[in-house]
Amino acid sequence: MTRVIIPGFLAFFGHCYPKFLRTAGIDKQGCVNFCCYGLMALLLMACNGNKPVQPSAGKNQAIPATIVAVQPVIMPVSLETIAQTEGAKEIEIRPRVGGILLKRLYTEGMAVEAGQPLFLIDPEPFQNALAEAKAALQEQNVRVLRAKSDEDRQRQLLAENFVSQRAYDLATADLAIAAAALQAAKVRVQQAELNLSYTTVRAPEKGVTGRSQLSEGTLVSANSSLLTTLTQLSPIWVRFSFADNEVARLGGHLSEKNVHRVKMILPDGSEYEQEGKINFAASKIDPQLGTQQLRATFANEDQRVFPGQFVRIRVTAGEPRAVFMVPQVAVLTSDRGRFVYVLNDNDEAKQRPVIVDNWMGKDWIILEGLQTGDRVVVDNLIKLMPGKKIEPQVRDQLPSLQPGLDSINN
């Protein structure tokens, strides 16, 4: 090619040189320099033109991708929602009598038994009140004995007609009054004994104590001063709710009769070993929130779950249905919703819109959009586009599906 270009350039130069000088006003030396630069450029172009052209990759070159042929799975309807735990009994410990708080009798944050002493209020004023009530009771016993003696004497005299009927009636009335006063004195003694017992504040239930709210030496008021709290950790309760459309998907109003299974997912993502039971279901939809309030109870003997934690609750209810399960990475999102890539008969990728439910493990539950035997692409998705040729690498069963199927069969 160089042999063709150089002679041609020289012939063109010889033919156009005189005319070029006249029109451009360039001297002979300048024209020579210009021609030398042009000649060098042509030589470089000729050298580059000798290099072979690299063939470009085909647009429809097949790319390898793992696929899975989906099969329907029969499983009941289940929904998950955020929930919060609470103690089955969360009790505020308040004194039933007022006085000076003498001593705290428990270790803060430790478990206590029902009836175990927690605080001691100064008992001396209540001991004095009890002694006074007992003295009044003894005095009233003497008055009853005297009234009884008078009534007996008046009865005998009335039988012999020595006194009038009115005198006997007065003696009988005095006896009744004294007997009533005696009964009141007995009640005052019982109340004084009860008040004295209240000076020792005891745990009403078995549970875990909280921090002491008042220090020793503080004057506490009856029924108002908060001393501490007591929480029963076993069983543990979990409060949650479902929107009215979610309740409809589960078969209507939820209760302990139509809920098949209640599972709790802990904050670390693990599933709580014990299954729960519904122990409260609101009888109507909350008009302000549009939700049905529910509560479940779980055994918590090892105290693994504490009140106030945020967990997730999975409720299984309704009639079983046929669904498909695909890995979460296979489900993509666009402005039109979620979709997956499936292969046609020519091993070309096609977008398929799907309707998803919830997660189970690492898989999406697909409600609509797939058919039995559809080949779903599960990796190399970043290179895919509609019509892209695929070199399928079949995987018979996804490992992530097995835990979900085991939980359903159990």
Side-chain angles (χ1 to χ4, degrees):
M1 185 174 180
T2 305
R3 294 176 181 178
V4 176
I5 294 175
I6 295 175
F9 178 80
L10 294 176
F12 171 78
F13 176 76
H15 174 73
C16 298
Y17 174 71
K19 186 178 179 179
F20 183 82
L21 291 176
R22 289 194 301 267
T23 58
I26 303 175
D27 59 3
K28 184 177 180 180
Q29 182 64 36
C31 186
V32 170
N33 292 337
F34 173 78
C35 293
C36 291
Y37 291 141
L39 181 61
M40 292 178 63
L42 288 173
L43 289 174
L44 291 175
M45 292 174 60
C47 292
N48 291 335
N50 292 333
K51 293 183 178 179
V53 178
Q54 297 293 335
S56 59
K59 293 183 179 180
N60 290 328
Q61 183 179 2
I63 62 172
T66 304
I67 66 169
V68 59
V70 296
Q71 298 295 329
V73 177
I74 303 300
M75 61 181 299
V77 182
S78 64
L79 286 177
E80 285 189 13
T81 187
I82 298 176
Q84 189 173 22
T85 60
E86 63 180 18
K89 292 182 180 179
E90 296 182 353
I91 306 170
E92 293 182 342
I93 306 298
R94 300 180 186 272
R96 303 183 69 172
V97 293
I100 300 298
L101 188 63
L102 290 185
K103 192 174 183 181
R104 173 169 55 84
L105 305 175
Y106 74 100
T107 302
E108 295 172 306
M110 298 299 293
V112 295
E113 299 293 332
Q116 181 174 334
L118 302 178
F119 295 93
L120 177 63
I121 298 174
D122 185 8
E124 187 172 353
F126 301 95
Q127 292 171 348
N128 296 336
L130 177 59
E132 183 179 357
K134 287 182 176 180
L137 175 61
Q138 185 176 2
E139 178 184 354
Q140 194 59 39
N141 275 323
V142 174
R143 290 180 179 179
V144 168
L145 291 177
R146 187 179 64 184
K148 179 63 175 174
S149 177
D150 290 344
E151 191 270 339
D152 291 340
R153 185 163 50 254
Q154 292 296 328
R155 184 189 309 113
Q156 294 175 2
L157 294 175
L158 179 62
E160 298 176 0
N161 294 323
F162 287 119
V163 295
S164 64
Q165 182 66 38
R166 181 175 181 278
Y168 174 73
D169 292 342
L170 290 175
T172 304
D174 291 339
L175 177 60
I177 293 173
L182 177 62
Q183 187 64 30
K186 290 180 179 179
V187 172
R188 285 192 292 270
V189 170
Q190 293 175 357
Q191 185 62 46
E193 292 175 344
L194 190 60
N195 290 339
L196 179 60
S197 67
Y198 288 159
T199 58
T200 301
V201 181
R202 300 179 182 274
E205 296 287 345
K206 178 182 178 180
V208 177
T209 56
R211 181 176 61 87
S212 177
Q213 301 295 320
L214 298 175
S215 60
E216 298 171 350
T218 303
L219 178 63
V220 298
S221 301
N223 304 318
S224 61
S225 298
L226 178 62
L227 299 179
T228 188
T229 57
L230 183 68
T231 304
Q232 186 177 2
L233 298 183
S234 183
I236 196 77
W237 288 354
V238 183
R239 290 184 292 107
F240 58 98
S241 62
F242 284 117
D244 52 355
N245 61 334
E246 295 176 325
V247 172
R249 288 172 56 188
L250 290 172
H253 179 266
L254 299 178
S255 66
E256 63 277 3
K257 295 181 180 179
N258 59 8
V259 172
H260 308 316
R261 176 178 292 183
V262 182
K263 296 293 290 184
M264 178 168 54
I265 295 90
L266 299 177
D268 60 359
S270 62
E271 194 172 90
Y272 192 61
E273 298 83 359
Q274 303 289 337
E275 287 192 11
K277 294 182 180 180
I278 298 294
N279 66 345
F280 168 76
S283 59
K284 64 178 182 179
I285 299 296
D286 188 333
Q288 295 182 348
L289 301 176
T291 58
Q292 182 188 0
Q293 304 293 323
L294 298 113
R295 187 180 65 205
T297 178
F298 291 82
N300 190 33
E301 296 296 337
D302 57 354
Q303 299 183 6
R304 182 180 177 186
V305 182
F306 290 92
Q309 285 184 293
F310 285 96
V311 296
R312 294 189 65 84
I313 286 291
R314 182 187 300 133
V315 173
T316 303
E319 297 297 328
R321 59 183 175 176
V323 298
F324 297 92
M325 301 179 68
V326 299
Q328 294 177 17
V329 294
V331 180
L332 306 176
T333 303
S334 68
D335 55 351
R336 297 183 179 180
R338 292 188 172 94
F339 67 93
V340 297
Y341 278 106
V342 297
L343 299 188
N344 59 12
D345 295 337
N346 297 325
D347 291 339
E348 295 175 344
K350 300 293 182 182
Q351 288 185 1
R352 181 76 61 79
V354 293
I355 298 177
V356 302
D357 190 12
N358 291 315
W359 294 351
M360 177 167 286
K362 298 181 179 180
D363 305 315
W364 272 114
I365 298 175
I366 307 297
L367 300 179
E368 298 180 15
L370 293 179
Q371 298 178 359
T372 302
D374 280 343
R375 297 180 296 168
V376 178
V377 183
V378 299
D379 64 4
N380 222 357
L381 300 173
I382 194 172
K383 299 180 181 179
L384 289 187
M385 63 180 63
K388 186 70 176 179
K389 192 74 173 179
I390 300 297
E391 181 183 340
Q393 300 176 1
V394 180
R395 183 185 298 175
D396 294 334
Q397 185 176 6
L398 295 175
S400 59
L401 292 180
Q402 196 62 37
L405 294 177
D406 292 342
S407 63
I408 294 172
N409 296 331
N410 291 335

